[in-house]
Amino acid sequence: MGVFSRQKFFQELAHGCLLPTAQQGLEQVWQLLVICLLCRLLWMLGLPSFVKHLSTIAGGFYTLYLFFELHMIWVVLLSLLCYLFLFLCRHSTMRGTFLSITVLIYLLLGELHMMDTTNWHKMRGSQMVVAMKAISLAFDLDRGVVTGVPSPIEFMGYIYFVGTVIFGPWISFNSYRDSLQGHRLSLSWLLKVSISWVKSQVCLVISNCVAPYLFPYFIPVYGDKLLRSKKRRKIRGTPAKWLLAYENTMSFHFSNYFVGYLSETTTTLAGAGFTEEKENLKWDLSVSKPLNIEFPRSMVEVVTSWNLPMSGFLHTYVFKSALQFGTFYAIMVTYTASALLHGLSFHLGAVLISLGFITYIEHVLRKRLAVIFNACVLSRKCQANCTHRNKKALWVYMINIAFSALVMLHLTYLGSVFNSSVEYLEDDEDDIAHHTIQKWSELSWTSHWVTFGCWILYRLIL
């Protein structure tokens, strides 16, 4: 949208941004939604299991072609490589570790040598989902959670489950098996699908039509003049840069919530994403928790709430496996694994590794302060029966609020590198690296300096 006065902006907002964004969003995913619903209805017919597997494989292949065309072959090759590895190493007890290394090598080689970076990055989400599914299955086989290597059709049905193959989220092999039972349609299922879809569209609209214009129009901090005006930047300096960074961060956050709620929609629509309570099904799949991110208690809460299924995957299969070497090592290995799964993007890697240090230092500092003050100031909210003496004192609330404000500063700083200009730089990692360093330099490397200061404080009071 162009530069308008505030009155003109709100007059043009509906047909200039809101309606086109919602229409484009529906046009891109309506076929995926239809295929998910068809698979759900087909599974209710009491067909043999192999027919159900074949149906979701066919649906997964078709949706992959819709989104990636012939480039989908690289996703197929990854799935074939994973099954070949599982079959050849079916008597091993280290399948999870070895398959993880194999998958990461494939992803790195694919990005560096197999095809151009732009098209590879378009498939990054699907590649991640396939990788996480295969790795989790390998670890579950090692741990006896899954009793035997599934048949090729069953494995491919899990990998190409139409509800998760494009937007995710990661689901376990046993969750996929449960979804094949073809539970009857219900009002709670329809309500869950509808609510998740509406939330996804609201988040898409906020990301595209609200966040980029937050301070010039919706919250006119500087009157009617745009922050992006060069003259305004020179006049306002640092405050304007932080407000611009917050706009970028908010837009990035809500684009993630859009994908999260959309993945809830497709997964639930296809018949997965439920828990069983006695004889009742509870359609309770949750991918993101926006309130825990926009109004955080701690960075630990943010990284967990960003993508709950992926957080569960990393905690179960990476963090717990590395915890024997120490908490700091386990945290850094987990964030490194996450960075490698996301691909060789400098800004993603820099943000994730920075998050690792920030999360660890915040955790140990608050843990130490909780001991010194005997107060509920831990990264995670204490249980009602905790042994801390000071729980609801005013100064306890002030400490927690101060850490919340600090987390919001970190999020604004880290999120400043995710703006629309990055999409045009993905062919050149040097440009992305320069963009990231420039953005953080404009904000005086504040988050990194604050994290270093917190570490110094922690060492002083240790």
Side-chain angles (χ1 to χ4, degrees), residues 430-445:
D430 290 337
D431 288 342
I432 294 179
H434 175 74
H435 168 82
T436 303
I437 293 171
Q438 180 185 14
K439 285 294 182 180
W440 286 349
S441 296
E442 289 176 357
L443 301 179
S444 305
W445 301 91

Side-chain angles (χ1 to χ4, degrees), residues 101-112:
I101 296 172
T102 303
V103 167
L104 290 176
I105 291 174
Y106 175 87
L107 294 176
L108 294 177
L109 287 176
E111 188 161 357
L112 292 173

Side-chain angles (χ1 to χ4, degrees), residues 4 6 15 67 89 145 147 169 196 200 231 284 291 303 319-320 342 355 381 393 414 425 427 435 443 445 448 457:
F4 304 114
R6 290 188 68 231
H15 69 267
F67 281 84
C89 300
V145 177
T147 54
S196 295
S200 73
K231 182 180 179 181
D284 56 358
L291 290 179
V303 298
F319 181 80
K320 285 185 177 180
H342 280 85
L355 275 174
K381 189 175 181 179
L414 296 174
L425 301 175
D427 284 334
H435 168 82
L443 301 179
W445 301 91
H448 290 93
L457 176 61

Side-chain angles (χ1 to χ4, degrees), residues 90-143:
R90 59 190 179 278
H91 301 300
S92 172
T93 58
M94 295 287 289
R95 285 167 289 194
T97 302
F98 291 142
L99 182 59
S100 300
I101 296 172
T102 303
V103 167
L104 290 176
I105 291 174
Y106 175 87
L107 294 176
L108 294 177
L109 287 176
E111 188 161 357
L112 292 173
H113 300 293
M114 292 181 187
M115 64 182 300
D116 62 279
T117 305
T118 301
N119 285 317
W120 186 265
H121 283 180
K122 289 179 181 178
M123 298 184 294
R124 182 160 46 197
S126 291
Q127 297 274 29
M128 285 177 58
V129 173
V130 170
M132 290 191 293
K133 285 182 176 180
I135 291 170
S136 65
L137 177 58
F139 275 108
D140 286 345
L141 288 168
D142 291 339
R143 298 170 182 178

